[in-house]
Amino acid sequence: MPELPEVETVRQTLKGLVVGKKVTNVIIHYDKIISPLSISMFKQMLIGQTIRDIRRHAKYLFFDFDTTTMVSHLRMEGKYYLRQSLEEATKHEHILFELDHKEYLCYHDVRKFGTMDLVPLGQERQLPSVADLGKEGNDPHWTKEELHDLIRSSKRPIKAILLDQHIISGLGNIYVDETLFRAKINPNTLGSKLTIYQAKRILDAASIVLDKAIGLGGTTIRTYHSNIGVDGRFQNELLVHTFAGKPCKICGDTIQKIKVGGRGTYYCPTCQRDDSPLIIGLTGGIASGKSFVSDWFQKRKITVLDADKIYKNLLKTNKIMYNEIVQNFGQEIVKDNEIDRRRLGEIIFHDKTKREVLNQITHPFVLEEMNQQIEVLKKKKRQLIVLDIPLLFEANLEYMVNLILLVYVDLQTQIKRLMIRDHIDESEALQKIHAQMDLNEKRALADIVVDNSNSVSETIQQLQIIYQQLRRK
């Protein structure tokens, strides 16, 4: 079935071919496409009219004539072709618009499910089917609050909600799968379980997917090709749809195909974890105040899994990891039969290559332990878990969490706090800061930002609002 990007490709292609041309005759082979209008009325309203513009909303095309708008829906397999003669037309071209200069705009539809309605010029919203459409998935006027209000009380899976054109229009099966994958939301998650931040993720992802698909002319898979020899290229950009049994391009887990609301649905079980518990990735920069935020959550009985604490514990308890580190960094990092973390830290801080070697050794062990603890917490029915991962972005661990909370601080405040905390001068503080990913880059990637640049009371006020929104169902 053509979706919004395919229909937009049709619109753009046809606009350059037929706008400014006059209809001199209409040949109708299958009148149910124009029902309830009669053949005589349909012809009367269009013959002699010039095509002035072609517009679109969602999957509907609006052909603007001098005094009339024709509302066309392609349904499953409708297509338009521009023919130079009637001899070129095929048996499945049911409505043919003869244009001046003896060209023919032919509507082709094997299944005959498409529809055409006529309304006064620009009055397409007289039709209930158009009037009831939601805003398009890439409409810049969407707000996260607006979408959240529409879905927050729904007991339907989010996949089914996004296919509902009354909620959000223009998203079909392919693009919903791709949107939910980019938003890291399980397609079976109920609308009532999603937070306002996840609503924003959906809008951001839908906009990216639709805009990119439009730019590439849509997606040409299975039986749908847009028209006039124009095939889309977005199928080369798909991340999950049609990839059942293949490894996820993000985490390597196997893409699954299931049925949601009767529709074939593709998703990654790791990147799109189920909806319980909600897992928040807490990250920040050095001296940004992340530990304060972590403590704030723990005081409210929220489980925080601290990657640094897990790492420190594994240094003492995991002999395999211990031996690999010593083998790569030498006995000089060993003190009293334990790894001297301070000495190891000095080595990796000044050598990026060695820092990457250490990460390659330790990350798999830390992640394995963290995942085991998450599974235990799931069984305990915990509703919210915070993963405290300082290098979440640097280690490409975004797939582990539903949402990312960044503790931000402006550079000058960060320098000042780091100088006081570590008893160092400004140049050394800057060296430590620049050894990590820039906080402004992280801010652009985060779902939630706590600005810790000012007073403690202001930071707490932000956290209280965020906590309420995370719990809001």
Side-chain angles (χ1 to χ4, degrees):
M1 177 185 290
E3 301 184 20
L4 184 153
E6 288 77 53
V7 180
E8 174 61 17
T9 300
V10 172
R11 185 194 73 82
Q12 293 176 4
T13 305
L14 287 177
K15 187 171 180 177
L17 294 172
V18 301
V19 167
K21 296 180 179 179
K22 182 183 292 186
V23 176
T24 58
N25 191 21
V26 182
I27 302 168
I28 300 172
H29 295 310
Y30 187 74
D31 62 356
K32 288 186 178 179
I33 290 173
I34 64 169
S35 179
L37 287 172
S38 66
I39 291 176
S40 59
M41 180 60 69
F42 193 82
K43 288 184 175 184
Q44 180 183 332
M45 293 179 70
L46 292 182
I47 292 175
Q49 298 265 322
T50 299
I51 302 172
R52 299 299 182 184
D53 196 7
I54 304 176
R55 299 176 291 115
R56 180 196 55 76
H57 183 75
K59 303 177 187 181
Y60 284 85
L61 287 170
F62 308 133
F63 290 76
D64 286 339
F65 293 86
D66 295 320
T67 60
T68 300
T69 292
M70 183 178 78
V71 179
S72 170
H73 197 299
L74 304 177
R75 299 300 174 187
M76 293 294 289
E77 292 189 14
K79 307 173 183 70
Y80 282 97
Y81 291 94
L82 190 64
R83 305 298 193 189
Q84 299 305 309
S85 70
L86 287 177
E87 284 73 23
E88 295 178 3
T90 70
K91 67 177 181 178
H92 296 301
E93 292 173 18
H94 308 298
I95 312 291
L96 297 87
F97 302 89
E98 183 178 340
L99 307 176
D100 45 10
H101 307 298
K102 291 300 180 180
E103 291 180 311
Y104 296 86
L105 177 62
C106 303
Y107 177 71
H108 179 286
D109 194 339
V110 175
R111 299 194 181 190
K112 303 178 181 178
F113 290 162
T115 61
M116 295 179 188
D117 290 286
L118 297 181
V119 296
L121 181 64
Q123 299 300 308
E124 59 272 1
R125 287 198 170 270
Q126 285 185 6
L127 299 174
S129 57
V130 176
D132 292 341
L133 290 172
K135 286 193 288 193
E136 294 180 348
N138 58 344
D139 190 320
H141 299 103
W142 270 112
T143 66
K144 61 182 185 294
E145 292 84 3
E146 184 180 2
L147 180 59
H148 190 235
D149 284 344
L150 289 171
I151 67 177
R152 60 183 295 192
S153 61
S154 177
K155 298 300 181 183
R156 290 188 293 169
I158 186 61
K159 169 74 183 272
I161 293 173
L162 295 183
L163 286 173
D164 185 342
Q165 301 298 296
H166 300 100
I167 302 292
I168 184 168
S169 65
L171 287 176
N173 203 42
I174 296 171
Y175 298 112
V176 170
D177 283 353
E178 294 297 309
T179 292
L180 289 175
F181 177 76
R182 289 174 182 266
K184 298 194 296 185
I185 296 173
N186 188 286
N188 268 315
T189 302
L190 302 183
S192 60
K193 295 288 186 180
L194 294 171
T195 69
I196 194 169
Y197 301 108
Q198 288 169 305
K200 182 179 185 302
R201 266 188 177 271
I202 290 171
L203 292 174
D204 290 344
S207 184
I208 290 170
V209 167
L210 289 176
D211 287 347
K212 193 166 189 178
I214 289 170
L216 293 172
T219 305
T220 303
I221 60 175
R222 299 192 183 93
T223 60
Y224 187 78
H225 296 256
S226 59
N227 74 333
I228 317 177
V230 179
D231 287 343
R233 303 187 307 281
F234 189 71
Q235 67 272 11
N236 301 319
E237 305 292 326
L238 296 175
L239 296 176
V240 286
H241 194 83
T242 72
F243 291 149
K246 296 182 180 180
C248 172
K249 296 178 182 180
I250 303 299
C251 73
D253 199 355
T254 303
I255 301 298
Q256 304 291 319
K257 182 180 181 182
I258 59 174
K259 289 279 189 180
V260 180
R263 304 298 300 274
T265 299
Y266 299 82
Y267 81 107
C268 172
T270 294
C271 291
Q272 296 166 269
R273 294 171 181 263
D274 59 30
D275 63 307
S276 182
L278 183 65
I279 301 177
I280 307 299
L282 172 62
T283 192
I286 188 170
S288 64
K290 183 177 59 61
S291 296
F292 173 82
V293 174
S294 178
D295 291 341
W296 189 90
F297 277 110
Q298 290 181 70
K299 288 176 181 177
R300 279 144 191 83
K301 308 301 181 184
I302 302 301
T303 300
V304 177
L305 300 182
D306 189 323
D308 277 347
K309 289 181 179 178
I310 291 174
Y311 162 67
K312 292 173 187 176
N313 184 58
L314 289 174
L315 285 177
K316 298 177 181 180
T317 61
N318 190 306
K319 293 300 180 184
I320 297 175
M321 190 176 88
Y322 174 94
N323 290 335
E324 285 191 31
I325 294 173
V326 174
Q327 183 179 348
N328 280 273
F329 290 88
Q331 287 293 326
E332 62 183 281
I333 65 168
V334 178
K335 182 179 180 181
D336 298 328
N337 293 320
E338 291 187 359
I339 291 176
D340 186 339
R341 289 180 49 253
R342 182 180 294 276
R343 176 61 185 138
L344 180 60
E346 290 173 355
I347 294 172
I348 65 171
F349 178 74
H350 294 95
D351 191 325
K352 182 180 179 181
T353 301
K354 291 183 177 179
R355 186 161 65 245
E356 291 174 352
V357 169
L358 181 64
N359 289 338
Q360 289 173 1
I361 295 170
T362 61
H363 282 177
F365 293 104
V366 173
L367 294 182
E368 182 181 8
E369 177 63 25
M370 190 168 279
N371 278 317
Q372 288 177 359
Q373 292 189 33
I374 289 172
E375 290 305 313
V376 171
L377 292 167
K378 280 185 176 182
K379 292 177 181 177
K380 293 181 178 180
K381 306 295 183 183
R382 296 294 170 84
Q383 295 301 305
L384 181 63
I385 300 173
V386 175
L387 304 188
D388 185 342
I389 309 178
L391 302 180
L392 186 146
F393 290 113
E394 291 89 337
N396 298 315
L397 298 178
E398 298 99 315
Y399 70 88
M400 290 192 66
V401 302
N402 300 112
L403 295 167
I404 298 171
L405 191 159
L406 174 75
V407 184
Y408 176 83
V409 66
D410 66 74
L411 181 59
Q412 291 305 312
T413 302
Q414 188 179 17
I415 293 170
K416 187 181 298 183
R417 290 177 181 174
L418 189 54
M419 289 172 62
I420 295 171
R421 191 193 76 179
D422 291 358
H423 308 290
I424 55 178
D425 61 23
E426 183 175 344
S427 62
E428 191 171 354
L430 278 169
Q431 187 179 10
K432 285 190 173 186
I433 291 169
H434 293 322
Q436 295 183 349
M437 181 178 174
D438 184 83
L439 263 181
N440 287 306
E441 291 181 35
K442 291 184 178 182
R443 183 172 192 164
L445 297 171
D447 300 294
I448 314 166
V449 177
V450 175
D451 191 336
N452 191 38
S453 302
N454 300 305
S455 67
V456 170
S457 62
E458 288 177 287
T459 299
I460 290 174
Q461 185 177 21
Q462 294 174 69
L463 287 169
Q464 288 171 337
I465 294 171
I466 290 166
Y467 184 44
Q468 288 302 315
Q469 291 178 328
L470 290 175
R471 297 175 65 205
R472 183 181 179 191
K473 300 299 183 186

